Amino acid sequence: MSFQTLGLSPALLRALAAQNYDTPTPIQAAAIPVVLAGHDLLASAQTGTGKTAGFSLPLLERLFPLGQRPSSGRPRKPRALVLTPTRELAAQVHDAVRDYSRFLTIYSTTIFGGVGMGNQIQNLRRGIDIVIATPGRLIDHMQQGHIDLSGIEILVLDEADRMLDMGFLPALKRVIAATPRTRQTLLFSATFAPAIKALATQFMRAPREVSVAPANTVVSTVSHRVHPVDAERKRDLLLHILAADSRRQTLVFARTKHGSDKLCKYLNQSGIRSAAIHGNKSQNQRTRALDDFRKAKVDVLVATDIAARGLDIEQLPMVINHDLPMVAEDYVHRIGRTGRAGAEGLALSLVSHEEAGLLRDIRQLLKDDIEIAPMEGFEPSQPLRMDANAPKPRQGGQRQRAGGKKTPAHARRPHAQEPSAGNHGKARRQRRGGAGSRRSPSSPGGRR
Ligand code: AMP
């Protein structure tokens, strides 16, 4: 199977060649023909499967058949809208759309919160073909009459399960209601949970279903290994692993913001160049940390679950869980950062006996045996017990408002922040919303 046989026009094929994409990934092979044929699409695909190109390529082909604009000049209204749960994902999707459309004349922009509205309004006024937006800020623009969605031909809901988890359902409904019924709708989600099915039933027309990874499974090219270790020796074991492994670019997950800062500091002091990314960092700090990691100026990125969601970091050979996530599904999302697009990946977890219950949940979810191998010199003082009474870290936490500031209208939805140290987050839902709701400076997506 090649991209040519999928029916993409030369301008897109040239762009793919420039990206060194030879062969479509399974989600692309399955989704592209369905979208080109004009069907609604309900796709189950995790980050790392190539889903962004799976919707961007046929979207570009349909809006610009054979690489041509249907009319000269800039569009009066946006023709396609991509909704994403976080601004980071919106920026990534925008980057991908730019890469794939480099030989087309198209105008695209991002719309997300945490930055001023002025540039976004100007971009919209100039005329934009494709808008990539987070729901909250988009609603703000709709309310103030800056954007008219009546010309939307294609609507994409990317990581729809995350958007629902973050409490965006009412916003999604409002946005969808502002688009024409005749639109084509593409919904991407890691799982087909009942709420996703309900959304599809309500807003999609006879969607074709495509599923490349069954719900809650991880990419098969990832090997999993657990090193049992006493909690107070985790940092040293991490250092030992990082020092012994010649592979660069490791993503390390910590459970709390405070914990990730401490770990990052410790690694830097020990001579391993590291940066931390979490919900308390400003947008600028996050962008810089990610850039430094991408450019290999730092070798380790220490991240919390929220900060890491949707990050597109290419070809990551290894992900290390310094702490296990409180919710087993988050393990799957974390591990989605390695073994991407066919590359081999290694997922290591450092598990103390207090976390045995979390490991038990993860193993049940994966329906898979994760290798448990004590590391010589770091053997734990107590074995990991996996029975029904296996211990879990204490849950706690309280709902907080973004930055403690007056809550803006669009942010008055259930959202939350990552737990701070010793404050492990009350519920999964609470830990989902932080990234999209904090205010900090950053440049909005530009025009093209
Ligand atoms: P995504 O799941 O959309 O976040 O994509 C994961 C990564 O795979 C991104 O870095 C893409 O650039 C890359 N990718 C997507 N499609 C292909 C392909 N057909 N061949 C090689 N790499 C790809």
Side-chain angles (χ1 to χ4, degrees), residues 42-45 160-162 164-165 187-201 209 211 213-216 329 333 428:
L42 185 57
S44 157
D161 52 336
R162 295 281 183 176
L164 295 189
D165 277 351
L187 186 155
F188 284 75
S189 172
T191 67
F192 285 159
I196 294 292
K197 286 278 191 185
L199 197 65
T201 309
E209 283 188 25
S211 181
N216 296 329
E329 282 87 356
H333 293 295
R428 177 167 183 220

Side-chain angles (χ1 to χ4, degrees), residues 10 26 37 55 106 135 160 162 164 171 177 288 301 317 325 357 376 392 400 402 414:
F55 63 76
I106 72 146
R162 295 281 183 176
L164 295 189
R288 196 174 333 119
L301 189 63
E376 208 183 318
K392 288 184 179 178
Q400 292 173 25

Side-chain angles (χ1 to χ4, degrees), residues 204-216:
M204 298 174 79
R205 283 178 303 163
R208 303 291 159 98
E209 283 188 25
V210 166
S211 181
V212 290
N216 296 329

Side-chain angles (χ1 to χ4, degrees), residues 204-226:
M204 298 174 79
R205 283 178 303 163
R208 303 291 159 98
E209 283 188 25
V210 166
S211 181
V212 290
N216 296 329
T217 59
V218 292
V219 185
S220 58
T221 51
V222 178
S223 315
H224 306 259
R225 195 176 308 145
V226 163

